[in-house]
DNA sequence: GTCTATACTCTGATAGAC
DNA sequence: GTCTATCAGAGTATAGAC
């Protein structure tokens, strides 16, 4: 990516990333074309390639800026807080992320579905490290009898799965619910009940 | 697809569908190429196109045969059975499906992620009909006080989400767990605990 | 039924004028 | 910085020999 110096560079770089997110998230890496991205960004294809040297570089720039946002809610789970409330607010933040950034969620889902060809280092690195760290905290909470004993890694998987489902399978969710439903507004109390019941000690 | 008459046609048709499943599920529709599919099937590309007239037709044949398998476990939830045990065995069957047919799960996930361009009729039709039917059963069970009152559609979503996660996000699951883990063997008791706790009446 | 050869289109990327 | 023109390669599909 061109280091933005002028206002016009700043604006075009942003437009390309925004368009790339739109197109990559709904068609996958291979399914997306530079023609589409350029059109959505309101630029010509050669002009797009003036800002980013290749299709790959647009995609990688998107993945890069995605990871931090994605890990942030888990990173903020406070080891000194109340165990169940900490998990519940993690769930809520993750659900809000799905609601507010569904395209980012689908971009990520697409990448993992294909076996994470370009993101594996991040998953085996920062992501795994953060999970390992939080597993220690969850395990302590369970040992102290402050939440039910469940497999802590799978607890984290269940949070990812249940919240991301609303963004990733949006088409199915909305069709099955039918018109006049707000999936996220309904999911919030449902997930609250689910995790509260599951994690209640004893 | 060519109606299989001879033994050789039967064998080649199967090989193409098997190869198509392999390639489409790991690269998506656009990401898959006929060259790859033909190679995996052990045929030349023109020979593949002798059996199926187009790339689309291979993909559609796969989606078609997928839906029934996919809905089967939900269809078998027995309205006359014990509510919580019925839900739990549905969860178990769905998890087994993810374990035994992960490629089918990823094929489905890919299609929905892209907005279900070719599967929307099936989702708005047979799938929604079946869900509506089972929602009636779940609602009755809840009204009879035989399971906790939760949003029944979201209960079904949660089952789909939690079980399919292990197939669709396999790359991430295995990386985060690290070596020496059997994701499905660990998920089974975890999900049993989760749904038992959530659905316990009172 | 299967293969070689090939037509034709799409797509990522570059050259070079302005 | 942006555009027109264009290339090279990949990819779907067809023609026609055997």
């Amino acid at each position: 990516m061109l280091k933005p110096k002028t206002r016009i560079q700043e604006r075009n770089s942003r437009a390309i990333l925004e368009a790339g997110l739109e197109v990559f998230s709904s068609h996958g890496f291979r399914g997306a074309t530079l023609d589409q991205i350029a059109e959505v960004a309101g630029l010509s294809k050669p002009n797009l390639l003036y800002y980013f040297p290749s299709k790959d570089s647009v995609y990688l720039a998107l993945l890069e800026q995605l990871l931090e946002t994605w890990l942030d809610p888990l990173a903020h789970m406070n080891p000194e807080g109340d165990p169940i409330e900490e998990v519940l607010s993690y769930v809520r933040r993750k659900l809000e992320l799905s609601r507010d950034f569904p395209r980012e969620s689908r971009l990520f889902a697409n990448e993992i579905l294909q076996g994470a060809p370009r993101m594996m280092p991040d998953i085996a690195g920062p992501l795994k490290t953060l999970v390992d760290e939080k597993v220690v905290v969850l395990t302590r909470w369970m040992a102290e009898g402050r939440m039910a004993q469940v497999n802590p890694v799978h607890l984290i998987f269940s949070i990812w799965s249940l919240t991301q489902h609303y963004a990733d399978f949006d088409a199915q969710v909305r069709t099955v619910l039918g018109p006049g439903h707000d999936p996220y507004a309904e999911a919030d109390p449902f997930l609250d009940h689910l995790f509260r019941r599951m994690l209640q000690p004893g």
Side-chain angles (χ1 to χ4, degrees), chain A residues 54-196:
Chain A
S54 66
K55 182 181 179 180
D56 239 272
S57 68
V58 180
Y59 187 71
L60 288 173
L62 284 168
L63 284 189
E64 204 169 317
Q65 73 178 29
L66 177 57
L67 191 72
E68 201 183 344
T69 315
W70 224 237
L71 294 184
D72 188 66
L74 180 55
H76 278 71
M77 200 170 69
N78 180 10
E80 310 308 324
D82 176 72
I84 292 187
E85 294 308 319
E86 284 299 321
V87 171
L88 287 176
S89 58
Y90 173 42
V91 171
R92 204 170 312 117
R93 279 195 302 269
K94 201 75 175 58
L95 186 63
E96 283 164 5
L97 220 55
S98 282
R99 183 194 61 196
D100 299 337
F101 303 97
R103 298 176 305 176
E104 282 82 349
S105 184
R106 287 193 285 270
L107 185 73
F108 188 77
N110 254 309
E111 172 68 12
I112 308 295
L113 254 183
Q114 332 256 312
R118 298 153 215 258
M119 238 197 163
M120 194 44 92
D122 292 311
I123 292 172
L127 189 144
K128 178 162 169 45
T129 303
L130 181 60
V131 169
D132 288 347
E133 183 190 320
K134 294 306 178 181
V135 161
V136 171
V137 175
L138 290 166
T139 304
R140 175 169 61 77
W141 283 341
M142 292 173 197
E144 293 171 353
R146 301 168 74 196
M147 61 191 292
Q149 303 256 1
V150 299
N151 186 311
V153 193
H154 288 261
L155 172 58
I156 292 173
F157 289 158
S158 72
I159 295 171
W160 291 348
S161 143
L162 287 164
T163 54
Q164 292 172 194
H165 185 81
Y166 289 95
D168 301 344
F169 288 73
D170 182 79
Q172 179 175 251
V173 165
R174 290 185 193 274
T175 303
V176 170
L177 281 176
H181 285 264
D182 179 345
Y184 295 98
E186 296 174 4
D188 187 57
F190 174 83
L191 295 179
D192 193 276
H193 171 97
L194 187 158
F195 284 103
R196 220 175 263 284

